[in-house]
Amino acid sequence: MPPIPGAGLAKGLAVTLRTMTKKTVTAQYPDVQPELPPRSRGVIALFEENCTVCMLCARECPDWCIYIDSHKETVPAAAPGGRERSRNVLDRFAIDFSLCMYCGICIEVCPFDALFWSPEFEYAETDILELTHERDKLREWMWTVPEPPALDPGSEEPKEIAAARKTAEKLRTQREQETAAAAAAPPAPTDPAPTDPAPTDKEGQA
């Protein structure tokens, strides 16, 4: 069947008429902040205390926009006769958000939960150099990271929590058994109090 002339125009006018009858909604930004979804990707925050300088985030970043510098320090032995150890100390952690494509790979691969998504998105700059956030700036974004959502009551308990609870219960049972064994043990015999020796003949004559 050949197309009817003007059918496309009629459909377009129908969409226009339907839209004209709907109420117009205007976002009053920036006076009114938008309600963002819970998992919005705004800016990346750094929790420096958890970073071990493993370099996983920098190696897995598709845009190579993460810059990390570190040095090694020698940690003295914790006990006498122990061995000294070395650890990585973070000197620089920076993210160039002019290159970042917000894929979230760095946050996913971090094994120590040092990187988090923040919903903050108002960090535009007039100079592109200012879009490279050093670790102090990334640390400031950490205070804007929302708390994680509560777990589903019907979901399975995380393996880490289950293992920690099992270990705590085992230690508590062991401690209770030691306390009960110590209470049931007979008291240790005590030595009788020493008595004064009998006076000798010489002391009696004196």
Side-chain angles (χ1 to χ4, degrees):
M1 181 177 178
I4 302 175
L9 179 60
K11 291 181 180 180
L13 291 175
V15 173
T16 303
L17 292 174
R18 286 198 303 268
T19 306
M20 290 176 60
T21 58
K22 293 182 179 180
K23 182 180 179 181
T24 303
V25 178
T26 302
Q28 302 297 330
Y29 178 83
D31 297 330
V32 178
Q33 293 294 323
E35 295 183 3
L36 300 176
R39 300 179 65 183
S40 298
R41 297 185 177 187
V43 69
I44 298 174
L46 170 68
F47 190 54
E48 186 178 338
E49 286 76 5
N50 285 358
C51 182
T52 61
V53 200
C54 66
M55 305 294 291
L56 273 177
C57 56
R59 288 200 298 265
E60 297 296 332
C61 177
D63 295 330
W64 292 86
C65 64
I66 300 177
Y67 312 112
I68 301 176
D69 294 330
S70 66
H71 70 276
K72 289 186 177 293
E73 285 186 357
T74 302
V75 180
R83 186 182 63 177
E84 294 183 348
R85 298 182 180 274
S86 62
R87 67 172 182 177
N88 292 323
V89 179
L90 185 66
D91 293 329
R92 185 194 183 201
F93 194 109
I95 300 178
D96 187 354
F97 286 102
S98 65
L99 298 177
C100 179
M101 65 179 188
Y102 303 90
C103 63
I105 293 178
C106 58
I107 298 175
E108 295 295 332
V109 301
C110 180
F112 302 104
D113 290 336
L115 297 174
F116 297 87
W117 277 120
S118 168
E120 295 294 328
F121 62 92
E122 297 177 320
Y123 53 94
E125 301 288 347
T126 56
D127 188 355
I128 194 173
L129 297 178
E130 298 297 330
L131 286 176
T132 300
H133 293 187
E134 299 292 336
R135 65 176 183 176
D136 294 337
K137 184 66 175 179
L138 296 174
R139 179 59 183 267
E140 293 179 5
W141 292 121
M142 193 65 205
W143 312 124
T144 64
V145 175
E147 295 183 1
L151 298 177
D152 185 358
S155 62
E156 183 180 355
E157 185 179 36
K159 296 180 180 179
E160 296 82 0
I161 298 179
R165 181 177 290 106
K166 184 177 181 180
T167 303
E169 291 176 355
K170 183 178 179 181
L171 292 175
R172 184 172 61 253
T173 303
Q174 182 179 359
R175 193 178 298 111
E176 292 176 354
Q177 292 176 353
E178 293 176 355
T179 304
T190 57
D191 297 334
T195 57
D196 296 335
T200 59
D201 296 340
K202 292 181 180 180
E203 291 177 354
Q205 292 176 0

